[in-house]
Amino acid sequence: MYTVPFLDLSPLRSAAGTVRLPGSKSISNRVLLLAGLSAGTTVVHDLLDSDDTQVMLEALRVLGCKLERDGEALHVTGLGGRLATKQAKLFLGNAGTAMRPLTAALALLAATQGGDFELSGVARMHERPIGDLVDALRQLGCTVDCLGTEGYPPLRLHASGQALQAAQPIRVRGDVSSQFLTALLLALPLVAHAADIVIEVQGELISKPYVEITLNLLARFGIAVRREGWQRFTIPQGSAYRSPGRIHVEGDASSASYFIALGAIAADGEPVRIEGVGTDSIQGDIRFVEAAQAMGAQVAS
């Protein structure tokens, strides 16, 4: 007879100690792409080691970025917005945080500098819709071919011989995935040489905290996006990525919430100490601290 395995958790009298959080996945892959697009070398500390970051690292390596480990730090020498490799096939597993922004960046670079790229993933990735991002890129004049089902990966991105059409606002739906807006925000500074580029969000923007992460990281790499509420975003003329030199990836605030709750419920005399993220975090989930404080927990940063 088959017995269902189980985990028996005994009640705790108290909890104390220190936990070091893994880096945020959302921040890690954004930082890697920004470092890869910037001129010069960016030293990245506390990068998350995960399937998503590994496929992003491999993609950057194939595209010509120089990646060097120095202990726990990663040195990323970027492309400076110029294609070093103009033809490649990139396998991105099931990493949406790699597929969406790389699609936007490579579509724009292929359109303006000449290039031919194929992006694919596991079978599940090919079931994840990307049509709204593809539509926005086609508005700009990028050539994006869906190699299987229309609106889904795998994709081919290549030059069309036509100039980009960036004079009119680029429209993208906000009620499907904030990753589509994030992908455009990360990519459009590559082509904002001659004029401002405007993105207009149609409908209610979901997952606003993740867009806040994107805007904050863009500012660290020298891109000061102007926004009007959550409906209109402007990439200023003359934008260019500048490496901050060094950047630390925050610990994952979602993971922190479990240990915040543990400390709030079970800390007795000795505190629960959480390293890697503080109350000044750029991640929306850090507001769980406010919920713990409302219940009477003492939280110091």
Side-chain angles (χ1 to χ4, degrees):
M1 181 178 178
Y2 178 73
T3 302
V4 178
F6 65 92
L7 183 63
D8 189 2
L9 298 177
S10 302
L12 292 175
R13 293 182 182 276
S14 64
T18 300
V19 61
R20 180 76 184 179
L21 297 172
S24 160
K25 180 177 72 173
S26 296
I27 295 177
S28 289
N29 262 1
R30 284 168 171 80
V31 165
L32 285 177
L33 181 60
L34 289 168
L37 296 175
S38 299
T41 299
T42 304
V43 182
V44 183
H45 296 272
D46 304 317
L47 184 71
L48 176 67
D49 183 9
S50 71
D51 289 345
D52 279 31
T53 54
Q54 288 302 318
V55 297
M56 178 65 87
L57 286 167
E58 180 58 24
L60 294 178
R61 188 179 292 109
V62 170
L63 293 171
C65 295
K66 184 178 179 181
L67 308 174
E68 295 180 305
R69 287 283 181 183
D70 180 11
E72 295 185 357
L74 176 69
H75 295 242
V76 181
T77 301
L79 303 175
R82 303 296 304 176
L83 285 173
T85 299
K86 294 197 173 183
Q87 187 170 5
K89 293 183 178 182
L90 303 178
F91 178 77
L92 302 175
N94 196 31
T97 57
M99 176 65 77
R100 276 77 179 267
L102 280 170
T103 293
L106 291 176
L108 289 169
L109 291 174
T112 54
Q113 298 177 28
D116 195 329
F117 302 97
E118 288 188 19
L119 276 58
S120 65
V122 299
R124 179 69 184 96
M125 173 61 78
H126 297 169
E127 298 173 352
R128 299 174 67 179
I130 198 171
D132 288 280
L133 177 59
V134 169
D135 290 344
L137 292 169
R138 288 172 176 168
Q139 289 176 49
L140 279 159
C142 297
T143 304
V144 182
D145 300 332
C146 298
L147 301 179
T149 303
E150 181 64 27
Y152 295 81
L155 306 172
R156 181 184 175 213
L157 320 168
H158 56 99
S160 65
Q162 300 178 353
L164 288 183
Q165 307 297 317
Q168 299 299 316
I170 302 146
R171 294 176 175 83
V172 62
R173 286 177 58 188
D175 59 350
V176 178
S177 171
S178 66
Q179 286 190 13
F180 299 150
L181 174 59
T182 278
L184 293 170
L185 288 169
L186 293 173
L188 286 170
L190 295 168
V191 294
H193 309 304
D196 291 353
I197 300 180
V198 176
I199 307 170
E200 289 185 351
V201 176
Q202 297 179 312
E204 179 69 19
L205 179 64
I206 61 174
S207 303
K208 295 181 181 71
Y210 289 98
V211 178
E212 286 277 22
I213 291 173
T214 301
L215 296 173
N216 188 293
L217 293 175
L218 282 167
R220 295 190 195 184
F221 281 83
I223 309 298
V225 177
R226 302 192 302 268
R227 72 178 178 93
E228 299 170 29
W230 295 102
Q231 301 304 126
R232 186 179 175 94
F233 299 81
T234 301
I235 313 296
Q237 175 186 354
S239 292
Y241 284 119
R242 299 192 301 273
S243 169
R246 293 180 178 272
I247 189 166
H248 289 260
V249 175
E250 292 183 1
D252 183 61
S254 298
S255 299
S257 64
Y258 298 101
F259 299 100
I260 294 168
L262 177 65
I265 294 170
D268 183 15
E270 294 297 320
V272 173
R273 180 180 177 85
I274 304 165
E275 295 183 345
V277 68
T279 53
D280 59 349
S281 169
I282 64 174
Q283 301 171 73
D285 285 356
I286 200 62
R287 295 192 64 185
F288 187 79
V289 168
E290 298 174 13
Q293 290 173 324
M295 293 188 294
Q298 297 181 17
V299 184
S301 181

